[in-house]
C-alpha cells in the first residue's frame, strides 16, 4: 500500500513528477527528507474565533504533535470547518453535513496515514465521525472537553441548562435584568463544551464507548492538564495506527453502535445524539432501528446523575471515574469484546479503569436515578415515522396527557405570537410548532423547547406538552416531543393540525395521537402545502434542501448512504 508522502498523488499522468513537485513545495516549509519519509498523521484544526468550545484547540494540537513526533511519525495539521451552536446561521445542524463533507474529502485528498479529529461542540464530533466512517482512514477523536462550572448566589451554574432556566425566570418576571446579566457573565466560565449532559457531552461519551477515543476522553475537563496528556497519548497512538491500520470500519460495528445506544439511555443523553448516531451508522451501512432502541430503553435505566436529568456536572462525572464508571455498571448489557482505538477490547478498558469508592454521580444498575432509559420513541397518526421524547427530563404528570392544540406555523409565527396577551392558551393545552424540521426551517433548529407563553409563565406554569418537527438542545428539560417524522414541510400529518384539535400523549404506551378522524385529515390534506421558497436558492442551500433526509435517517444527505447493508443496531 502507498503510504506517507507518496499517498494520493495529484494526477498529472506522471506519478514520479507528482512526488517530485509535492516534495519541492512542502520543502518550502522547511521539512527534511527524513521528516517526509515518516508515516504522516493528519490533525484537524477546528479552532475558530467564533468557537469558544474549541478555544483550547491550539494547546491540544501542540500536545498531539508532541505525541506523534515522540512516536516517530510526522504530524501535519490542516483546517476544517468549525461549528459553534450560537454562531451558525440558520442552524448548526444545517452545517453539520457540510463539515462532514469537508472533513471527509480533506482526509481523502491529503496524504495522511492516520488522522486525529479534534472536535467538541455539538455538531463537530458527529460530523467528524461521519467523515471518518466514509473515508475509512484510521482515526482517533480528541474531544475538547467540558467546561468547569461557576456559582451564582451559592448555586452552581451550568451551560446551558441554567441558561434556559434563568431565561425562563426572567421571562416570568422572577428575576430582574441586572440579575440575568450577572448570570450571563458566569454561565460559561472556562473554555470547553457545555458541562451538562447536553449533546456535546453525550457525543463525547458515545465516541468513547464506541472505541474511537482513548479512555477518559469524554469527561476530563477542557482546562485540566490531564486533557493535554490525553492529547499527547492520542497523538502517539495515531502514529501507531498509521502502521496498524485499525480503521473505522473495524471499530464501527453493529455491536459498537449497540453499546453507544445503551450508553445513550444510561447517561440520560441528548435526543440529538440519536440523529447523529443514525447518520454515522448509516455511513457504514448499519441501520439504527428506532423501535429496538425504544425496547432497549425499557431495560437500560438512567444511571448518571447529571443535569439536565439529575444534579451534577461533567467535572463530577470525571471525579467519579468518568464514563468508565458507567460502563462498569452497564457491563452486563454491553458487547465487551469490541475493539477500541487504543488497541484493547472494551472489556480490557473497563477492567483497567479507576474505581472511586463512595462516589455519588454514577448509580449502581440496581439503584438508578430513573427507572428506564432516557429517551422514548413515540408512534401514532401524528408521527408515522416516529418522534422522540426525553422523558427522563420531563414532568412525570404530563407524560400521559390530552389537550387542545395551539398551533404555530413557523418559527416566525412562534416569535410573533407566543407572548401575545390575547393568545388563546391555557396551561393544559398542547403547544405545536411545525415547519421547523430538516427542510422546513431549514436545518431543524433546536426550537422544540417552545417557550411557555409569557402570560402562563407569569402565573407560574413551568412546563407544558410541546410537539414539533424540530430538535431540542440536549441541555433542555420539559415534556417535549421532538423530531416528528415526516416533518410538516413535506406533508407529514403535523401539517394538518388545527387550533383546537385534541392531541393525546401517552409515553407509557409510546403513543402520540391526533384525535381527528382519518377522513377529515385526508380532506384537510387536499388543500396542499405551501411551496418551499428556499428551493429556488443556489449553492449549498440547494444541495441541502434537495438531499437532506428525515430524522429517522439521520438528516444526512441521501447520496451519502452506502449501498451495502452492514447490519442493524441495537443487536
Ligand atoms: Fe458548544 Fe454547548 S455550545 S458545546
Amino acid at each position: 500500500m502507498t503510504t506517507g508522502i507518496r499517498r494520493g498523488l495529484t494526477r498529472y499522468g506522471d506519478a514520479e513528477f507528482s512526488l517530485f513537485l509535492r516534495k519541492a513545495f512542502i520543502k518550502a516549509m522547511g521539512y527534511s527528507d527524513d521528516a517526509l519519509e515518516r508515516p504522516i498523521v493528519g490533525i484537524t484544526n477546528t479552532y475558530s474565533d467564533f468557537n469558544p468550545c474549541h478555544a483550547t484547540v491550539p494547546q491540544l494540537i501542540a500536545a498531539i504533535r508532541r505525541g506523534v513526533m515522540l512516536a516517530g511519525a510526522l504530524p501535519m495539521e490542516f483546517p476544517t470547518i468549525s461549528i459553534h451552536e450560537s454562531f451558525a446561521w440558520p442552524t448548526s445542524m444545517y452545517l453539520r453535513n457540510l463539515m462532514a463533507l469537508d472533513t471527509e474529502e480533506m482526509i481523502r485528498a491529503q496524504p495522511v496515514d492516520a488522522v486525529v479529529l479534534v472536535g467538541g461542540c455539538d455538531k463537530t464530533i458527529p460530523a467528524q465521525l461521519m467523515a471518518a466512517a466514509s473515508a475509512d482512514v484510521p482515526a482517533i477523536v480528541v474531544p475538547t472537553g467540558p467546561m468547569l462550572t461557576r456559582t451564582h448566589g451559592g448555586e452552581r451554574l451550568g451551560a446551558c441548562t441554567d441558561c434556559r432556566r434563568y431565561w425562563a425566570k426572567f421571562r416570568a418576571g422572577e428575576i430582574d435584568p441586572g440579575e440575568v446579566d450577572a448570570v450571563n457573565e458566569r454561565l460559561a466560565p472556562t473554555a470547553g463544551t457545555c458541562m451538562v449532559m447536553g449533546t456535546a457531552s453525550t457525543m463525547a461519551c458515545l465516541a468513547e464507548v464506541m472505541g474511537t477515543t482513548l479512555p477518559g476522553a469524554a469527561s476530563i475537563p477542557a482546562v485540566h492538564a490531564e486533557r493535554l496528556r490525553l492529547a499527547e497519548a492520542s497523538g502517539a497512538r495515531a502514529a501507531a495506527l498509521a502502521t496498524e491500520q485499525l480503521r473505522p470500519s473495524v471499530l464501527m460495528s453493529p455491536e459498537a453502535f449497540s453499546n453507544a445506544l445503551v450508553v445513550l439511555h444510561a447517561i440520560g443523553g441528548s435526543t440529538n445524539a440519536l440523529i447523529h448516531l443514525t447518520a454515522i451508522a448509516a455511513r457504514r451501512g448499519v441501520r439504527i432501528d428506532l423501535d429496538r432502541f425504544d425496547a432497549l430503553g425499557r431495560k437500560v435505566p438512567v444511571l448518571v446523575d447529571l443535569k439536565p436529568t439529575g444534579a451534577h456536572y461533567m467535572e463530577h462525572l470525571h471525579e467519579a471515574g468518568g464514563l468508565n464508571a458507567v460502563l462498569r455498571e452497564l457491563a452486563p448489557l454491553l458487547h465487551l469484546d469490541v475493539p477500541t482505538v487504543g488497541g484493547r477490547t472494551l472489556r480490557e478498558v473497563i477492567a483497567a479503569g479507576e474505581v472511586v469508592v463512595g462516589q455519588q454521580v454514577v448509580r449502581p444498575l440496581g439503584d438508578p436515578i430513573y427507572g428506564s432509559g432516557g429517551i422514548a420513541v413515540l408512534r401514532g397518526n401524528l408521527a408515522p415515522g416516529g418522534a422522540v421524547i426525553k422523558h427522563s427530563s420531563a414532568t412525570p404528570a404530563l407524560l400521559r396527557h390530552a389537550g387542545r392544540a395551539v398551533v404555530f406555523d413557523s418559527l416566525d409565527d412562534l416569535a410573533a405570537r407566543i407572548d401575545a396577551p390575547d393568545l388563546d392558551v391555557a396551561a393544559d393545552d398542547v403547544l405545536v410548532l411545525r415547519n421547523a424540521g430538516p427542510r422546513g426551517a431549514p436545518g431543524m433548529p433546536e426550537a422544540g423547547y417552545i417557550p411557555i407563553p409569557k402570560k402562563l409563565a407569569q402565573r407560574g406554569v413551568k412546563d407544558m406538552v410541546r410537539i414539533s418537527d424540530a430538535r431540542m438542545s440536549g441541555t433542555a428539560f420539559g415534556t417535549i416531543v421532538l423530531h416528528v417524522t415526516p416533518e410538516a414541510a413535506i406533508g407529514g400529518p403535523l401539517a394538518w393540525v388545527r387550533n383546537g384539535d385534541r392531541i393525546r400523549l401517552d409515553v407509557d404506551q409510546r403513543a402520540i395521537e391526533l384525535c381527528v378522524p382519518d377522513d377529515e385529515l385526508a380532506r384537510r390534506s387536499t388543500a396542499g402545502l405551501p411551496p418551499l421558497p428556499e428551493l429556488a436558492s443556489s449553492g449549498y442551500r440547494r444541495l441541502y434542501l434537495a438531499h437532506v433526509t428525515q430524522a429517522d435517517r439521520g438528516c444526512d444527505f441521501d447520496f451519502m448512504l452506502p449501498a451495502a447493508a452492514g447490519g442493524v443496531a441495537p443487536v
Side-chain angles (χ1 to χ4, degrees), residues 263-435:
V263 167
L264 177 56
H265 277 305
I267 61 179
S270 163
T271 45
N272 289 322
L274 192 53
I275 296 181
H276 297 319
L277 268 184
T278 301
I280 298 161
R283 292 206 174 196
R284 295 292 342 146
V286 177
R287 184 174 63 81
I288 303 290
D289 185 300
L290 286 179
D291 294 318
R292 286 196 199 180
F293 170 68
D294 182 76
L296 189 66
R298 303 228 187 227
K299 330 190 266 211
V300 182
V302 179
L303 300 181
V304 180
D305 190 3
L306 245 66
K307 289 206 172 189
T309 299
H312 299 285
Y313 296 88
M314 286 300 283
E315 65 197 74
H316 306 122
L317 175 61
H318 186 56
E319 286 162 7
L323 184 68
N324 205 67
V326 187
L327 299 181
R328 192 177 306 110
E329 289 300 326
L330 292 173
L333 300 163
L334 295 173
H335 299 276
L336 295 172
D337 294 318
V338 293
T340 71
V341 78
R344 294 181 290 186
T345 63
L346 188 62
R347 185 191 304 278
E348 291 165 338
V349 168
I350 294 171
E354 180 187 7
V355 177
V356 180
V357 177
Q359 59 82 19
Q360 301 289 317
V361 180
V362 180
R363 299 277 189 88
L365 204 49
D367 180 24
I369 179 168
Y370 190 76
S372 64
I375 300 171
V377 177
L378 308 172
R379 302 246 182 216
N381 68 346
L382 196 52
V388 300
I389 183 169
K390 189 172 176 181
H391 51 131
S392 61
S393 298
T395 302
L398 288 175
L399 292 175
R400 189 165 179 214
H401 180 82
R404 197 180 61 134
V406 176
V407 182
F408 298 92
D409 269 324
S410 65
L411 291 165
D412 289 343
D413 185 33
L414 177 72
R417 294 195 297 119
I418 189 74
D419 289 339
D422 60 350
L423 181 70
D424 179 14
V425 66
D428 58 356
D429 287 341
V430 174
L431 302 178
V432 174
L433 169 65
R434 63 185 166 210
N435 296 314

Side-chain angles (χ1 to χ4, degrees), residues 51 53 83-86 120-122 147 159-160 192-194 200-201 475:
N51 196 342
C53 301
I83 306 171
H84 183 272
E85 289 300 293
S86 296
C121 195
D122 291 16
M147 291 180 232
C160 229
T193 51
C194 293
S201 300
T475 64

Side-chain angles (χ1 to χ4, degrees), residues 93-101 130 540 548 555-557:
M93 190 66 175
Y94 172 79
L95 295 169
R96 182 202 66 179
N97 295 353
L98 185 61
M99 182 173 179
L101 287 175
M130 290 161 72
Y540 177 71
V548 71
C555 300
D556 199 0
F557 292 143

